Amino acid sequence: MTFFIDTHCHLDAAEFGADRAAMRAAARAAGVTHCVIPAVARFNWNAVRGLAHAWGDSYALGIHPMCTPDATDADIEALGALLHACGEDSHLVAVGEIGLDYFVPGLDGPHQERLLRAQLRLARRLDLPVLLHVRKSCDRVLKALRELPVAGGIAHAFNGSPQQAQAFIALGFKLGFGGAVTFERALHLRRLAAELPLEALVLETDAPDIPPQWLYQSQERRQAGAEQGRNSPAELPRIAQAVAGLRGMAMDELAQAAWRNACAALPRLPGLLRGDRIAAQG
Ligand SMILES: [Zn+2]
Protein backbone atom coordinates (compact mmCIF):
# COMPACT_ATOMS: atom_id res chain seq x y z
CA MET A 1 0.00 0.00 0.00
CA THR A 2 1.14 3.53 -0.77
CA PHE A 3 1.06 6.07 2.05
CA PHE A 4 0.30 9.77 1.77
CA ILE A 5 0.46 12.94 3.85
CA ASP A 6 -2.25 15.49 3.11
CA THR A 7 -0.19 18.60 3.86
CA HIS A 8 -3.18 20.96 3.91
CA CYS A 9 -6.74 20.04 4.86
CA HIS A 10 -9.29 21.93 6.94
CA LEU A 11 -10.77 18.93 8.73
CA ASP A 12 -12.51 21.10 11.33
CA ALA A 13 -14.70 22.68 8.61
CA ALA A 14 -18.47 22.69 9.04
CA GLU A 15 -18.81 20.69 5.81
CA PHE A 16 -17.53 17.65 7.73
CA GLY A 17 -19.87 18.18 10.67
CA ALA A 18 -22.10 15.21 9.96
CA ASP A 19 -19.45 12.52 9.45
CA ARG A 20 -16.07 13.89 10.50
CA ALA A 21 -14.69 10.71 12.06
CA ALA A 22 -15.93 8.50 9.22
CA MET A 23 -14.40 10.90 6.69
CA ARG A 24 -11.03 10.70 8.45
CA ALA A 25 -11.26 6.90 8.67
CA ALA A 26 -12.04 6.66 4.94
CA ALA A 27 -8.96 8.75 4.14
CA ARG A 28 -6.82 6.50 6.34
CA ALA A 29 -8.20 3.43 4.56
CA ALA A 30 -7.20 5.06 1.25
CA GLY A 31 -3.61 5.39 2.51
CA VAL A 32 -3.72 8.97 3.79
CA THR A 33 -2.10 8.16 7.11
CA HIS A 34 -1.42 11.74 8.10
CA CYS A 35 -3.18 15.09 7.72
CA VAL A 36 -1.81 18.56 8.50
CA ILE A 37 -4.70 20.70 9.76
CA PRO A 38 -4.10 24.47 9.50
CA ALA A 39 -6.05 26.97 11.56
CA VAL A 40 -7.72 30.04 10.04
CA ALA A 41 -8.49 32.30 13.04
CA ARG A 42 -8.77 32.42 16.82
CA PHE A 43 -12.18 30.71 16.76
CA ASN A 44 -10.76 27.42 15.45
CA TRP A 45 -7.37 27.20 17.18
CA ASN A 46 -8.68 24.82 19.83
CA ALA A 47 -10.62 22.77 17.28
CA VAL A 48 -7.62 22.04 15.03
CA ARG A 49 -5.46 21.18 18.02
CA GLY A 50 -8.15 18.86 19.40
CA LEU A 51 -8.62 17.04 16.09
CA ALA A 52 -4.89 16.62 15.53
CA HIS A 53 -4.51 15.07 18.97
CA ALA A 54 -7.57 12.84 18.59
CA TRP A 55 -6.42 11.41 15.27
CA GLY A 56 -2.63 11.46 15.56
CA ASP A 57 -2.51 14.22 12.94
CA SER A 58 -0.70 17.55 13.13
CA TYR A 59 -1.84 21.17 13.21
CA ALA A 60 -0.74 24.72 12.63
CA LEU A 61 -1.90 27.88 14.41
CA GLY A 62 -2.40 31.20 12.68
CA ILE A 63 -4.70 33.79 11.14
CA HIS A 64 -5.71 33.24 7.49
CA PRO A 65 -5.58 36.33 5.25
CA MET A 66 -9.30 35.98 4.51
CA CYS A 67 -9.98 36.15 8.26
CA THR A 68 -7.90 39.32 8.76
CA PRO A 69 -10.87 41.75 8.57
CA ASP A 70 -11.92 40.57 12.04
CA ALA A 71 -8.42 40.19 13.46
CA THR A 72 -6.70 42.73 15.72
CA ASP A 73 -3.47 43.10 17.66
CA ALA A 74 -5.20 41.27 20.53
CA ASP A 75 -5.51 38.20 18.28
CA ILE A 76 -1.80 38.35 17.47
CA GLU A 77 -1.06 38.57 21.19
CA ALA A 78 -3.33 35.59 21.88
CA LEU A 79 -1.68 33.66 19.05
CA GLY A 80 1.75 34.40 20.47
CA ALA A 81 0.67 33.20 23.91
CA LEU A 82 -0.89 29.99 22.56
CA LEU A 83 2.11 29.21 20.34
CA HIS A 84 4.33 29.69 23.35
CA ALA A 85 2.11 27.42 25.48
CA CYS A 86 2.01 24.73 22.74
CA GLY A 87 5.66 25.18 21.81
CA GLU A 88 6.65 21.71 22.99
CA ASP A 89 3.58 19.97 21.56
CA SER A 90 4.89 17.47 18.99
CA HIS A 91 1.63 17.78 16.99
CA LEU A 92 2.19 21.51 16.41
CA VAL A 93 4.22 21.61 13.19
CA ALA A 94 3.91 25.16 11.82
CA VAL A 95 2.46 28.64 12.03
CA GLY A 96 -0.45 28.82 9.58
CA GLU A 97 -2.39 29.34 7.60
CA ILE A 98 -0.94 32.79 7.02
CA GLY A 99 -0.24 34.87 3.93
CA LEU A 100 -1.84 37.39 1.60
CA ASP A 101 -4.86 37.26 -0.70
CA TYR A 102 -5.16 39.82 -3.49
CA PHE A 103 -7.83 37.80 -5.32
CA VAL A 104 -10.76 38.18 -2.92
CA PRO A 105 -12.11 41.73 -3.29
CA GLY A 106 -12.46 43.99 -0.27
CA LEU A 107 -9.54 42.78 1.86
CA ASP A 108 -7.45 45.59 3.35
CA GLY A 109 -3.95 45.18 1.87
CA PRO A 110 -1.90 47.05 4.51
CA HIS A 111 -3.82 45.31 7.33
CA GLN A 112 -3.19 41.86 5.79
CA GLU A 113 0.49 42.67 5.37
CA ARG A 114 0.86 43.88 8.93
CA LEU A 115 -0.70 40.68 10.30
CA LEU A 116 1.44 38.52 8.00
CA ARG A 117 4.60 40.21 9.24
CA ALA A 118 3.52 39.90 12.89
CA GLN A 119 2.98 36.17 12.35
CA LEU A 120 6.30 35.73 10.56
CA ARG A 121 7.91 37.28 13.65
CA LEU A 122 6.15 34.71 15.85
CA ALA A 123 7.33 31.86 13.58
CA ARG A 124 10.89 33.20 13.80
CA ARG A 125 10.73 33.42 17.57
CA LEU A 126 9.63 29.78 17.85
CA ASP A 127 11.77 28.59 14.92
CA LEU A 128 8.68 27.07 13.29
CA PRO A 129 8.02 26.74 9.55
CA VAL A 130 4.95 28.44 8.04
CA LEU A 131 2.01 27.31 5.88
CA LEU A 132 1.49 30.07 3.33
CA HIS A 133 -1.57 31.21 1.41
CA VAL A 134 -0.25 33.04 -1.68
CA ARG A 135 -3.27 33.76 -3.89
CA LYS A 136 -2.36 36.50 -6.40
CA SER A 137 0.24 37.60 -3.87
CA CYS A 138 3.46 35.64 -4.48
CA ASP A 139 5.72 38.66 -4.96
CA ARG A 140 4.42 40.47 -1.88
CA VAL A 141 4.73 37.36 0.30
CA LEU A 142 8.26 36.79 -1.03
CA LYS A 143 9.14 40.38 -0.12
CA ALA A 144 7.91 39.82 3.45
CA LEU A 145 9.87 36.55 3.68
CA ARG A 146 13.06 38.26 2.54
CA GLU A 147 12.64 40.87 5.27
CA LEU A 148 11.68 38.29 7.90
CA PRO A 149 13.21 34.94 6.91
CA VAL A 150 11.63 31.88 8.55
CA ALA A 151 12.51 28.19 8.80
CA GLY A 152 10.86 27.39 5.43
CA GLY A 153 7.52 25.63 5.11
CA ILE A 154 4.97 25.18 2.34
CA ALA A 155 3.47 27.63 -0.18
CA HIS A 156 0.10 25.92 -0.41
CA ALA A 157 -2.15 25.73 -3.50
CA PHE A 158 0.74 27.21 -5.42
CA ASN A 159 -0.24 28.80 -8.72
CA GLY A 160 2.53 31.28 -9.45
CA SER A 161 5.10 31.54 -12.24
CA PRO A 162 8.18 29.29 -12.57
CA GLN A 163 10.28 32.28 -11.40
CA GLN A 164 8.15 32.71 -8.29
CA ALA A 165 8.37 28.95 -7.68
CA GLN A 166 12.17 29.18 -7.82
CA ALA A 167 12.14 32.13 -5.41
CA PHE A 168 10.11 30.17 -2.83
CA ILE A 169 12.36 27.14 -3.26
CA ALA A 170 15.43 29.33 -2.74
CA LEU A 171 13.93 30.49 0.57
CA GLY A 172 13.56 26.86 1.72
CA PHE A 173 9.92 26.27 0.76
CA LYS A 174 8.09 23.36 -0.81
CA LEU A 175 5.12 23.99 -3.09
CA GLY A 176 1.71 22.37 -2.47
CA PHE A 177 -0.29 20.87 -5.36
CA GLY A 178 -3.85 19.63 -5.09
CA GLY A 179 -7.15 19.42 -6.92
CA ALA A 180 -6.49 22.40 -9.21
CA VAL A 181 -3.84 20.40 -11.08
CA THR A 182 -6.42 17.78 -12.14
CA PHE A 183 -8.22 20.17 -14.51
CA GLU A 184 -7.14 19.68 -18.11
CA ARG A 185 -7.49 23.39 -18.82
CA ALA A 186 -5.03 24.32 -16.05
CA LEU A 187 -2.21 24.23 -18.59
CA HIS A 188 0.17 26.56 -16.79
CA LEU A 189 -0.25 24.82 -13.42
CA ARG A 190 0.05 21.36 -14.98
CA ARG A 191 3.27 22.34 -16.71
CA LEU A 192 4.65 23.63 -13.42
CA ALA A 193 3.72 20.39 -11.63
CA ALA A 194 5.41 18.44 -14.42
CA GLU A 195 8.63 20.46 -14.57
CA LEU A 196 9.24 21.47 -10.97
CA PRO A 197 12.20 19.73 -9.26
CA LEU A 198 10.80 16.64 -7.56
CA GLU A 199 12.31 17.71 -4.20
CA ALA A 200 10.08 20.83 -4.20
CA LEU A 201 6.69 19.18 -4.47
CA VAL A 202 4.20 18.26 -1.73
CA LEU A 203 0.62 17.02 -2.06
CA GLU A 204 -2.53 18.44 -0.48
CA THR A 205 -6.29 18.45 -0.93
CA ASP A 206 -7.21 21.75 0.80
CA ALA A 207 -10.42 19.87 1.66
CA PRO A 208 -13.24 20.74 1.76
CA ASP A 209 -12.20 23.43 -0.78
CA ILE A 210 -10.72 23.06 -4.29
CA PRO A 211 -12.55 19.90 -5.45
CA PRO A 212 -10.62 17.91 -8.05
CA GLN A 213 -12.02 17.74 -11.56
CA TRP A 214 -13.97 14.51 -10.91
CA LEU A 215 -15.97 16.13 -8.08
CA TYR A 216 -16.41 19.54 -9.67
CA GLN A 217 -19.70 20.87 -11.03
CA SER A 218 -19.75 24.13 -12.97
CA GLN A 219 -21.93 26.96 -11.71
CA GLU A 220 -24.37 26.28 -14.57
CA ARG A 221 -24.69 22.64 -13.63
CA ARG A 222 -25.09 23.51 -9.95
CA GLN A 223 -27.90 25.91 -10.84
CA ALA A 224 -29.48 23.03 -12.76
CA GLY A 225 -29.43 20.98 -9.55
CA ALA A 226 -26.17 19.03 -9.84
CA GLU A 227 -24.45 18.63 -6.50
CA GLN A 228 -20.85 19.68 -6.01
CA GLY A 229 -18.90 16.68 -4.72
CA ARG A 230 -17.30 17.30 -1.33
CA ASN A 231 -13.53 17.27 -1.37
CA SER A 232 -11.84 15.23 1.36
CA PRO A 233 -8.35 13.83 2.09
CA ALA A 234 -9.47 10.49 0.61
CA GLU A 235 -9.07 12.13 -2.83
CA LEU A 236 -5.32 12.56 -2.33
CA PRO A 237 -4.18 9.25 -3.94
CA ARG A 238 -6.08 10.09 -7.12
CA ILE A 239 -4.60 13.60 -7.16
CA ALA A 240 -1.15 12.01 -6.71
CA GLN A 241 -1.91 9.72 -9.63
CA ALA A 242 -2.69 12.78 -11.78
CA VAL A 243 0.56 14.52 -10.77
CA ALA A 244 2.56 11.33 -11.38
CA GLY A 245 0.93 11.06 -14.83
CA LEU A 246 1.92 14.64 -15.66
CA ARG A 247 5.52 13.91 -14.64
CA GLY A 248 5.60 10.55 -16.41
CA MET A 249 6.62 8.71 -13.27
CA ALA A 250 5.24 5.87 -11.16
CA MET A 251 2.71 6.94 -8.53
CA ASP A 252 4.62 5.12 -5.77
CA GLU A 253 7.79 6.96 -6.58
CA LEU A 254 5.98 10.31 -6.56
CA ALA A 255 4.22 9.51 -3.28
CA GLN A 256 7.50 8.58 -1.60
CA ALA A 257 9.14 11.80 -2.76
CA ALA A 258 6.16 13.88 -1.60
CA TRP A 259 6.32 12.12 1.78
CA ARG A 260 10.02 12.92 2.16
CA ASN A 261 9.47 16.51 1.05
CA ALA A 262 6.68 17.06 3.58
CA CYS A 263 8.98 15.78 6.33
CA ALA A 264 11.72 18.13 5.16
CA ALA A 265 9.34 21.11 5.11
CA LEU A 266 7.87 20.32 8.53
CA PRO A 267 10.71 18.90 10.63
CA ARG A 268 8.44 17.86 13.51
CA LEU A 269 6.51 15.47 11.24
CA PRO A 270 8.94 12.52 11.13
CA GLY A 271 8.66 11.99 14.89
CA LEU A 272 4.87 11.81 14.66
CA LEU A 273 4.85 9.67 11.52
CA ARG A 274 6.98 6.83 12.79
CA GLY A 275 4.07 5.67 14.92
CA ASP A 276 1.62 6.18 12.04
CA ARG A 277 3.47 4.03 9.58
CA ILE A 278 3.94 1.23 12.05
CA ALA A 279 0.21 1.36 12.83
CA ALA A 280 -0.66 1.46 9.12
CA GLN A 281 1.57 -1.48 8.29
CA GLY A 282 0.54 -3.56 11.30
ZN1 LIG B 1 -6.23 26.50 3.51
Side-chain angles (χ1 to χ4, degrees), residues 64-272:
H64 190 291
M66 282 164 67
C67 294
T68 53
D70 296 322
T72 64
D73 289 344
D75 292 285
I76 292 291
E77 248 174 69
L79 178 61
L82 186 58
L83 282 168
H84 189 73
C86 298
E88 303 298 309
D89 180 357
S90 59
H91 295 260
L92 172 70
V93 295
V95 172
E97 170 173 1
I98 66 174
L100 298 171
D101 194 312
Y102 283 104
F103 174 76
V104 174
L107 293 174
D108 176 345
H111 183 57
Q112 284 193 69
E113 301 227 1
R114 214 165 53 78
L115 290 179
L116 169 62
R117 283 179 165 75
Q119 294 182 92
L120 290 176
R121 285 189 197 95
L122 291 176
R124 286 162 61 84
R125 197 185 303 159
L126 285 128
D127 199 26
L128 279 170
V130 296
L131 303 179
L132 291 173
H133 174 105
V134 293
R135 189 156 49 168
K136 297 267 178 281
S137 63
C138 283
D139 289 339
R140 306 221 40 114
V141 172
L142 285 164
K143 183 170 185 289
L145 288 171
R146 290 198 184 99
E147 290 165 21
L148 296 163
V150 296
I154 296 170
H156 117 86
F158 187 79
N159 198 358
S161 68
Q163 292 73 23
Q164 289 164 333
Q166 278 310 324
F168 277 107
I169 293 167
L171 290 170
F173 282 80
K174 310 295 183 194
L175 308 178
F177 289 85
V181 86
T182 63
F183 288 83
E184 268 164 30
R185 280 178 305 173
L187 294 177
H188 149 87
L189 187 62
R190 285 161 77 90
R191 181 180 305 162
L192 193 66
E195 293 177 357
L196 202 69
L198 184 59
E199 320 77 78
L201 191 150
V202 295
L203 297 170
E204 63 174 54
T205 60
D206 201 19
D209 298 329
I210 319 193
Q213 186 262 322
W214 52 89
L215 293 177
Y216 178 78
Q217 300 286 356
S218 67
Q219 199 173 353
E220 274 173 14
R221 298 207 35 163
R222 271 176 277 158
Q223 275 162 359
E227 214 173 304
Q228 185 82 275
R230 185 185 66 177
N231 192 16
S232 88
E235 304 299 329
L236 198 64
R238 202 166 158 192
I239 291 170
Q241 186 70 65
V243 175
L246 289 170
R247 297 186 67 96
M249 62 192 289
M251 211 262 271
D252 269 13
E253 200 189 328
L254 175 88
Q256 281 165 25
W259 181 286
R260 278 196 306 275
N261 298 342
C263 289
L266 306 172
R268 289 187 177 184
L269 270 190
L272 278 176

